[in-house]
Each structure stands twice: as structure tokens, then as C-alpha cells.
């Protein structure tokens, strides 16, 4: 998913926000309502509001503004002041968030397929300890992890960013005031020092955001340091305008000292900037980087204007009771909406329909109202803050409970995997003639019940080739050329396996053959990168160029030390540069041909394996589907015409018309009579929505043997 908003600290409409002039700012509550509406509508109808994820940036600005105004009004002078500040954040944020995490973990256990327990358990634990944004940043650059089903708690990433901000920002403010004291600047005289210091932090974060979004946009999205500038922008505004900062007097409003009409125009301009971003931006927009400046600037304009609640001002509409109520409960709306969106389809066993979405919307508002009244407000009363150790003790206890739930969920997943491992070992050693791919040769093989398939869905997720455990992959930005050796290491016959993950999935079959035919396997594998001269669309041009460089290095290595046989396979997962995916077939074919031509001319023997079916085109993750349909495994099957892709690498190989350049199509080991089963001979075929399990791939080895030996000229 691309962007969810976490809601900052806020007060009820009956109380002033911390650090403000003592009056209720209806525009801030209204701005919260707008921001949470953007996020909610984006998640329910992503194709209708493609840039609704910018609500996160609006919330970040509000958080930075209010928290900085509070800190500047009463700068922390020591450890106790910091502890008091943090204790308020604990009381304000943890009770509701931990409640939602606990409920989500329990609902996942009850309704989600077993295959999702491990990932959700990890993220619940990370969310409870406020580092889930870093976990998601790591997963976002992991090709296989990126294919995981959406977690019902991944929206906590932005709350983690804010908590990390709340931890560090008060220390920065305290240090700046200490520095001002050293240079003998106190009261209003401290203002230039503080503003300059905060400005340095904001500038550094913005620079890092622009750079990292350019070179690694996937991880940049969740990175704390690429987001600090957005909160800091609100903080700088607070330093410039807050009435109580630096000992200034409280005035009629906190906005710029401009006429009401000008402030009204500025406020409308701010909302217009946010609206443009919400409508124009898409998941393809590089973000955060420079593009985040538009919604950030919009939020800053609204806060700076502090438009009057009269005339044509937007605050007149935002000040109405329903909008103010939505702004007041926006934190709980944010917490509840995403778990419902993810879990409801698992309960109903179908994608969300219009009525489902409306019911989720209604349920979110009801749960948010109840949580606000009975959880948020209850723990914000003074008695929960005294003595100072109390909120910390309760916070640690609550986090411990949620972490324990996550560990229990993870332990259940681990136990399921261990049970599946034992079951798999028994089946592999049984000598069953109907086991795996061999079942497609017979009509007397009885269907295997869902509870007896191997590897069991929970175990299938990790049933990958040894190339993963050995770290044999080159990843973005493709700066090197990793190789690994398998099979009979001292054999005089070498088979080179080249390609991306759809080549690496053939390693188990080649290992079976290597043991029998006594040859050595050398792998040249790169995640998502193909052995081609065609540049394809990556997140950055540098990554695309890096992929081309990897292909050139592999080609040269094979020319310098030719193998006895070059085995290739690849999935074309990315469009050719400048073309739509569906229009890229010919460009891919040309790129493969140009890669192979020098090798074929040099006499290198080539065997290209046709790409395997692609279940993600209709079903998604096969283990997830099977776990949810153990009583009807055929629900996870697909049609060959939908799953079997065209293969330009095969076309390129066949274009040479030489005996040294051969191809083999083993689609008949994956599909039969127009149907591609998810389970064949009692074996789960795929460990996600694309890649073949190591167990099933090994059963295909006998059917690859003839083509391999022919290509070797044995």
C-alpha cells in the first residue's frame, strides 16, 4: 500500500491544543478531519482518490506544529521535564494503539489463514515497540517479502515515525535552548538560535529525503529521516508564530498578522494544494522527496493563516459540529480502519464490495467514537499521570501484553511449520509413484486431502531453493556479480544457471540431476533483473543501469570461462523503458537475443527453460489461498491461458536455429488439459504467487533430464 496517516496528539474541542493561545482552533480540528478522510477514502477506494495517502503528510505537519509550540512554551530544562513530556505521549497514544493491536492479533489468529500468522506476528511486535516503519522499509526492498499479503497493522508505520519524532525532538529543542543560554540569549532573544537549529535539522532531512527517494524510493517511503522535515516544517511554523513561544503575549489569533480576507485566501490556497496532490498523485509518484512539499506546504498555509470562522473562510465549514467530531476522533479512525479493510475479506471470503466498504466505514466511526470516549479520554486524566512512574509502568505492561500475543501467534506459526516439515520428510521418503509431477502421467492418482498436502501452506512459504539460504542473489543496485557453486564441486562438467528468481527456482531440479549425472552448477542470479541488453523500468534510472551492468558482467564472465552448458530462465516482471508492460514483448526479445548472440557465436551451449505459470495474475499467493480453502483445493487452480506467459527468452534462443541453442517447455508438468493446479500429486506447486516450491521443482527433474543431457551432447 502507498501511505497511511498517523494522527498526532490533539485535544478535545472543549480544550485548547497544547502550546496554543488558549482558544480552540477549529481549523486544526477541521484539518485533521480532512486528512483522515483522505486516508480513509484512499484505502477504501484507491482508484478514485489515487493520492489520498498525502493525508500522512498533513498529519505530520500538524504534529510538528502543536508539539513544537508546546515545547517552546515550556522548554524542557532537564531530564524530569523530558520524562513528563514523554509520559503525556504515553498516556495519549499507547492505550488506544495497544488496544487495536491486541484486537488485531486476536482477529488474525481467528480469521486469517495460517500462512499470514508469522508476518502479522512480526509486525504486531514491531508496531507495539514502535519500529515497524523500519521493518517495512526493509521488506519494501526485499522482492519476495514485497509480495506478502498486506498486514492489518502495517499502517502503524507512520505512528512509529511520530513516536520516534516525539522521542528525539524535545531533546533537540532542549539542546538549542541550552546553546542559546551559553551565548547569553534568553527569552525572545533565544528565537534566532532555536529557529536556526530547527532549520538545519529540517534542511538536512529534506536533502536526505530527496536523495533517498531518488535512489531507493521503496525504503525512503518508510524512513524516519526522510519524514522528519515534514514534522519539522510544522515546528518551524510554530517557532515563528506560536503566541506562547519565547515569552510572547497571546493575541487574538496565531496566524500571520494579515487582514482576515488575506488569511482566508491563504487557507483556501492551502486546501487547494492538498486537493491537487490527493487527486493528481498516484502510487507511481516518487514520494516523499520534493513531491511531498505540495501537501506539506498546503498544511503549513492553513496553519499559518489561522483563518477566521466567518465569511467565506473554509474554517466556517470546518467548524461545524460533524467535522469537528471527526477531527476529534481521527486518531481512533486511523487506528481501526485498516485492520477492518484487511480482515473483513478474510471473514467474508470474498473481495470487498460496495456494501462491505460502507459497513467498514460505519464500523470505523462507531469504534472510533467508543475508543475516544472510553480509552483515549480516560487515560488522559491527571490521575493516570501521577506519580510519574505510573504511565511508564502501565505503558510497559500494555506493550508486554501485546508483544506476548505476537509471540504466541508467531509460536503457533512456527509449530505449524515444524509439523509440516516432519510431514514433508515422511512423504518424500515414501516412494509414492503419485508424488509431485509424476502424478500428471497417471489417471489413477487419487486427490490428496487438504490436510495432507506437502509442504503444508505454512511451510510452503519457506520452501525455496538453496540459492536463498546461501545468499546467491545480486540485488539492487546490482553493483556486483555474486556466484555460488552447487552439485559435484570437482566435476569437470560445469552447468551455469543464469537469470532472475525464475531461474533460481530451477536449482532444486538441477541439483537432483547433478547428483546423478555428476556435474557442477554455478549460479549467476539477480533478483528482478534479466540477462538482457534491454533497459527496463526500475524505481530509479541507476537501478535500471545497474541491471544492464550486471548482465554485461555475466556475459563477459561466461565468455572468459565458458561453461559446458548455459541454462537460462527468466520472468519479465518489468516493462521495457518507455513502453507499457503489454507492449514490451518485442523489446525484451531483442534484448535477450543481443545478450545471447556473442555466447552462441563463441560456441557456448544454451538451454532455455520456458517460464513457469504465474498464479498471481488471478489467484495471488497460492499458500494463502490453500490455507483458506483446504476443503476445496481446486479453488486455487487457474487456467493455462491466464497463467502461462509468453516467453521472449525462448523466442530469442530459438531464433539462432543452431543445435547448440535449445529450449525446453515443461508447462505440461504444471498444467494439464488447460488447467494449472495449485497442488499436483499432493505437493504445493508455488511458495507465493509466482515461484515454484523447491519440493515440487525437484519432482520435475526427471522431465528436465533428457533436454539437459541432449543440450550437453551426452
Amino acid at each position: 500500500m502507498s501511505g497511511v496517516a498517523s494522527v498526532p496528539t490533539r485535544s478535545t474541542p472543549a480544550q485548547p491544543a497544547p502550546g496554543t493561545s488558549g482558544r480552540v482552533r477549529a481549523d486544526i480540528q477541521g484539518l485533521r478531519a480532512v486528512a483522515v478522510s483522505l486516508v480513509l477514502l484512499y484505502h477504501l477506494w484507491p482508484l478514485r482518490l489515487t493520492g489520498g495517502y498525502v493525508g500522512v503528510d498533513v498529519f505530520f505537519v500538524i504534529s510538528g506544529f502543536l508539539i513544537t509550540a508546546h515545547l517552546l512554551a515550556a522548554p524542557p530544562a532537564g531530564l524530569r521535564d523530558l520524562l513528563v513530556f514523554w509520559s503525556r505521549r504515553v498516556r495519549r497514544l499507547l492505550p488506544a494503539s495497544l488496544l487495536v493491536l491486541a484486537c488485531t492479533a486476536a482477529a488474525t489468529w481467528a480469521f486469517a489463514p495460517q500462512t499470514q500468522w508469522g508476518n502479522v506476528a512480526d509486525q504486531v511486535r514491531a508496531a507495539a515497540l514502535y519500529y515497524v516503519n523500519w521493518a517495512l522499509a526493509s521488506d519494501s526492498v526485499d522482492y519476495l517479502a514485497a509480495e506478502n499479503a498486506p498486514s492489518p497493522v502495517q499502517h502503524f508505520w507512520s505512528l512509529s515515525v511520530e513516536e520516534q519524532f516525539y522521542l528525539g525532538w524535545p531533546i533537540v529543542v532542549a539542546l538549542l535552548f541550552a546553546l542559546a543560554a551559553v551565548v547569553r540569549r534568553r527569552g525572545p532573544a533565544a528565537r534566532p538560535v532555536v529557529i536556526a537549529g530547527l532549520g538545519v535539522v529540517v534542511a538536512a532531512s529534506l536533502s536526505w529525503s530527496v536523495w533517498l527517494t531518488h535512489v531507493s524510493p521503496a525504503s525512503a517511503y518508510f524512513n524516519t529521516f526522510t519524514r522528519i522535515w515534514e514534522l519539522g516544517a510544522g515546528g518551524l511554523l510554530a517557532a515563528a508564530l506560536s503566541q506562547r513561544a519565547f515569552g510572547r503575549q497571546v493575541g487574538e489569533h496565531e496566524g500571520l498578522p494579515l487582514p482576515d480576507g488575506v488569511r482566508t485566501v491563504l487557507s483556501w490556497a492551502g486546501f487547494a494544494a492538498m486537493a491537487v496532490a490527493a487527486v493528481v498523485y498516484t502510487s507511481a509518484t516518487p514520494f516523499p522527496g520534493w513531491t511531498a512539499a505540495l501537501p506539506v506546504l498546503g498544511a503549513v498555509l492553513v496553519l499559518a493563516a489561522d483563518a477566521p470562522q466567518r465569511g467565506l473562510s473554509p474554517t466556517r465549514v470546518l467548524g461545524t459540529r460533524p467535522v469537528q467530531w471527526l477531527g476529534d476522533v481521527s486518531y481512533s479512525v486511523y487506528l481501526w480502519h485498516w485492520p477492518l479493510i484487511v480482515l473483513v475479506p478474510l471473514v467474508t471470503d470474498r473481495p470487498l464490495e460496495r456494501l462491505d466498504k460502507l459497513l467498514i466505514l460505519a464500523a470505523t466511526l462507531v469504534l472510533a467514537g467508543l475508543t475516544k470516549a472510553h480509552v483515549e479520554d480516560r487515560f488522559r486524566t491527571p490521575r493516570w499521570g501521577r506519580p510519574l512512574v505510573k504511565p511508564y509502568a502501565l505503558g510497559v505492561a500494555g506493550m508486554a501484553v501485546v508483544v506476548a500475543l505476537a509471540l504466541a501467534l508467531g509460536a503457533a506459526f512456527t509449530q505449524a511449520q515444524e509439523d509440516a516439515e516432519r510431514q514433508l520428510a515422511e512423504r518424500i521418503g515414501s516412494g509414492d509413484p503419485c508424488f509431485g509431477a509424476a502424478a500428471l502421467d497417471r489417471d489413477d492418482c487419487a486427490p490428496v486431502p487438504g490436510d495432507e498436502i506437502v509442504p503444508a501452506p505454512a511451510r510452503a512459504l519457506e520452501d525455496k531453493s538453496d540459492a536463498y539460504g546461501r545468499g546467491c542473489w545480486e540485488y539492487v543496485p546490482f553493483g556486483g556479480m555474486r556466484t555460488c557453486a552447487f552439485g559435484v564441486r570437482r566435476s569437470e562438467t560445469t552447468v551455469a544457471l543464469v537469470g532472475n528468481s525464475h531461474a533460481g527456482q530451477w536449482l532444486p531440479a538441477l541439483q537432483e540431476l547433478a547428483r546423478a549425472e555428476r556435474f557442477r552448477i554455478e549460479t549467476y542470479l539477480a533478483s528482478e533483473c534479466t540477462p538482457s541488453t534491454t533497459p527496463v523500468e526500475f524505481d530509479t534510472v541507476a537501478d535500471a543501469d545497474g541491471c544492464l551492468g550486471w548482465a554485461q558482467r555475466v556475459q563477459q564472465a561466461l565468455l572468459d570461462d565458458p561453461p559446458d552448458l548455459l541454462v537460462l530462465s527468466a520472468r519479465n516482471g518489468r516493462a521495457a523503458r518507455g513502453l507499457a508492460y503489454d507492449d514490451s514483448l518485442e523489446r525484451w526479445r531483442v534484448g535477450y537475443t543481443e545478450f545471447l548472440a556473442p555466447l552462441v557465436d563463441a560456441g557456448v551451449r544454451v538451454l532455455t527453460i520456458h517460464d513457469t505459470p504465474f498464479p498471481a495474475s488471478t489467484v495471488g499467493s497460492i499458500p494463502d489461498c490453500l490455507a483458506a480453502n483446504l476443503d476445496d483445493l481446486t479453488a486455487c487452480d487457474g487456467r493455462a491461458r491466464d497463467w502461462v506467459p509468453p516467453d521472449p527468452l525462448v523466442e530469442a534462443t530459438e531464433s539462432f536455429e543452431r543445435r547448440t541453442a535449445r529450449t525446453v517447455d515443461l508447462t505440461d508438468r504444471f498444467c494439464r488439459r488447460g488447467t494449472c493446479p495449485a497442488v499436483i500429486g499432493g505437493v504445493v506447486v508455488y511458495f507465493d504467487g509466482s515461484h515454484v516450491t523447491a519440493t515440487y521443482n525437484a519432482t520435475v527433474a526427471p522431465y528436465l533430464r533428457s533436454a539437459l543431457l541432449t543440450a550437453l551432447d551426452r
Side-chain angles (χ1 to χ4, degrees):
M1 112 184 145
S2 178
V4 290
S6 117
V7 181
T9 58
R10 59 182 177 282
S11 56
T12 65
Q15 299 173 330
T20 67
S21 60
R23 65 180 179 86
V24 176
R25 284 192 58 172
D27 62 327
I28 292 180
Q29 286 296 83
L31 190 57
R32 289 190 179 107
V34 170
V36 80
S37 296
L38 291 176
V39 175
L40 187 57
L41 294 175
Y42 169 70
H43 283 149
L44 287 171
W45 292 279
L47 299 181
R48 300 287 182 87
L49 193 67
T50 57
Y53 56 83
V54 299
V56 68
D57 310 279
V58 176
F59 278 121
F60 282 164
V61 174
I62 300 172
S63 274
F65 177 80
L66 292 179
I67 291 303
T68 306
H70 175 82
L71 290 169
L72 296 181
L79 179 60
R80 180 172 178 79
D81 291 342
L82 290 172
L83 291 174
V84 169
F85 172 84
W86 290 326
S87 74
R88 290 173 178 163
R89 298 307 101 215
V90 168
R91 288 190 289 129
R92 174 66 188 89
L93 297 174
L94 261 64
S97 66
L98 294 178
L99 170 66
V100 174
L101 286 173
C103 292
T104 303
T108 298
W109 203 329
F111 301 113
Q114 200 175 61
T115 49
Q116 296 182 17
W117 290 2
N119 183 49
V120 174
D122 290 343
Q123 289 198 19
V124 167
R125 183 174 65 251
L129 299 177
Y130 291 99
Y131 68 87
V132 71
N133 64 309
W134 293 108
L136 289 169
S138 176
D139 286 350
S140 68
V141 295
D142 182 341
Y143 170 54
L144 296 180
E147 294 191 357
N148 289 340
S151 160
V153 299
Q154 68 184 38
H155 65 313
F156 272 71
W157 76 267
S158 52
L159 187 56
S160 294
V161 169
E162 287 203 11
E163 283 297 288
Q164 293 159 28
F165 171 80
Y166 296 151
L167 184 64
W169 198 249
I171 297 174
V172 172
V173 171
L175 291 175
L176 290 174
F177 272 94
L179 176 61
V182 169
V183 297
R184 299 182 179 182
R185 291 178 175 269
R186 301 179 183 276
R191 181 184 175 198
V193 175
V194 174
I195 290 180
L198 297 182
V200 169
V201 174
V202 169
S205 173
L206 176 58
S207 299
W208 177 254
S209 180
V210 172
W211 181 81
L212 193 60
T213 300
H214 175 69
V215 301
S216 183
S219 62
Y221 193 88
F222 302 105
N223 191 296
T224 300
F225 302 113
T226 64
R227 296 289 187 166
I228 289 297
W229 75 271
E230 300 179 30
L231 294 119
L236 281 174
L237 182 66
L241 298 180
S242 177
Q243 295 289 347
R244 294 186 178 183
F246 313 111
R248 286 178 283 179
Q249 297 298 312
V250 175
E252 180 184 353
H253 65 82
E254 290 187 303
L256 295 167
L258 298 170
D260 287 358
V262 176
R263 290 191 291 122
T264 294
V265 171
L266 287 177
S267 185
W268 277 118
F271 281 110
M274 289 180 274
V276 169
V279 172
V280 174
Y281 287 3
T282 69
S283 60
T285 302
F287 210 85
W290 286 113
T291 53
L294 185 58
V296 167
L297 177 61
V300 166
L301 284 175
V302 172
L303 294 173
D306 188 11
Q309 199 170 342
R310 56 182 177 271
L312 298 177
S313 168
T315 310
R316 185 175 183 181
V317 177
L318 299 177
T320 58
R321 182 168 295 181
V323 178
Q324 292 291 293
W325 179 86
L326 180 57
D328 198 35
V329 302
S330 55
Y331 178 51
S332 289
V333 168
Y334 153 72
L335 290 174
W336 284 111
H337 84 284
W338 183 249
L340 292 174
I341 290 174
V342 172
L343 293 172
V344 166
L346 301 178
V347 176
T348 60
D349 196 26
R350 56 178 168 78
L352 291 178
E353 298 177 352
R354 180 179 300 177
L355 179 59
D356 299 321
K357 294 180 180 181
L358 294 176
L359 290 175
I360 287 174
L361 183 59
T364 297
L365 295 177
V366 171
L367 288 170
L370 293 172
T371 304
K372 177 66 169 64
H374 299 291
V375 179
E376 290 187 57
D377 290 347
R378 176 167 302 198
F379 284 93
R380 292 173 63 191
T381 58
R383 73 184 184 90
W384 288 101
R386 295 191 299 265
L388 184 56
V389 70
K390 185 176 181 179
Y392 289 103
L394 292 174
V396 169
M399 294 169 78
V401 170
V402 174
V403 169
L405 284 173
L407 291 174
L409 185 62
F413 177 72
T414 300
Q415 185 61 53
Q417 286 191 311
E418 291 175 354
D419 293 342
E421 189 76 34
R422 287 191 294 271
Q423 184 182 18
L424 175 60
E426 293 173 0
R427 287 292 305 280
I428 290 177
S430 67
D432 183 357
C434 290
F435 184 73
L440 294 176
D441 292 331
R442 308 169 63 102
D443 292 324
D444 59 345
C445 293
V448 176
D451 58 354
E452 295 181 13
I453 59 176
V454 295
R459 175 65 181 81
L461 297 170
E462 302 301 326
D463 192 25
K464 305 170 185 176
S465 80
D466 291 339
Y468 290 96
R470 289 271 303 276
C472 301
W473 300 93
E474 190 66 33
Y475 294 98
V476 290
F478 308 112
M481 188 186 70
R482 297 190 184 190
T483 62
C484 289
F486 299 91
V488 180
R489 305 292 182 88
R490 296 181 180 179
S491 173
E492 295 182 356
T493 302
T494 300
V495 173
L497 178 62
V498 176
N500 55 23
S501 58
H502 277 229
Q505 69 183 356
W506 285 104
L507 180 59
L510 289 175
Q511 287 174 294
E512 291 288 322
L513 295 174
R515 281 189 284 270
E517 304 299 333
R518 311 299 296 171
F519 60 80
R520 168 189 171 93
I521 305 168
E522 289 185 352
T523 63
Y524 300 80
L525 303 172
S527 180
E528 294 190 274
C529 179
T530 55
S532 169
T533 63
T534 296
V536 296
E537 295 287 355
F538 276 89
D539 290 340
T540 69
V541 173
D543 290 346
D545 292 343
C547 177
L548 291 176
W550 172 83
Q552 291 170 359
R553 289 190 292 276
V554 170
Q555 183 190 66
Q556 190 59 52
L558 296 173
L559 288 170
D560 291 342
D561 186 12
D564 295 281
L565 177 64
L566 170 59
V567 176
L568 302 104
S569 192
R571 165 166 164 72
N572 302 287
R574 294 182 177 273
R577 185 183 294 170
L579 295 177
Y581 183 86
D582 291 340
D583 298 329
S584 300
L585 188 63
E586 178 59 21
R587 190 77 61 82
W588 291 329
R589 188 193 65 77
V590 171
Y592 288 133
T593 302
E594 292 176 349
F595 174 86
L596 287 172
L599 295 165
V600 174
D601 290 343
V604 176
R605 294 178 174 273
V606 174
L607 176 64
T608 295
I609 305 175
H610 194 288
D611 194 15
T612 51
F614 187 64
S617 60
T618 60
V619 174
S621 168
I622 289 298
D624 284 356
C625 181
L626 292 173
N629 295 277
L630 290 176
D631 57 341
D632 181 17
L633 302 180
T634 61
C636 304
D637 296 349
R639 296 179 299 183
R641 66 184 183 186
D642 295 327
W643 285 15
V644 178
D647 195 326
L649 180 53
V650 167
E651 294 178 11
T653 306
E654 292 175 342
S655 69
F656 290 101
E657 299 181 349
R658 300 186 192 178
R659 293 182 64 254
T660 56
R662 298 176 179 273
T663 65
V664 58
D665 188 347
L666 297 171
T667 301
D668 63 349
R669 295 299 103 191
F670 296 88
C671 305
R672 186 183 189 188
R673 298 169 186 157
T675 297
C676 304
V679 176
I680 298 175
V683 180
V684 177
V685 182
Y686 308 91
F687 67 73
D688 56 9
S690 175
H691 303 87
V692 180
T693 62
T695 300
Y696 187 78
N697 191 268
T699 71
V700 182
Y703 306 95
L704 177 61
R705 180 176 181 273
S706 176
L708 186 93
L709 295 182
T710 300
L712 277 170
D713 198 23
R714 286 192 176 181

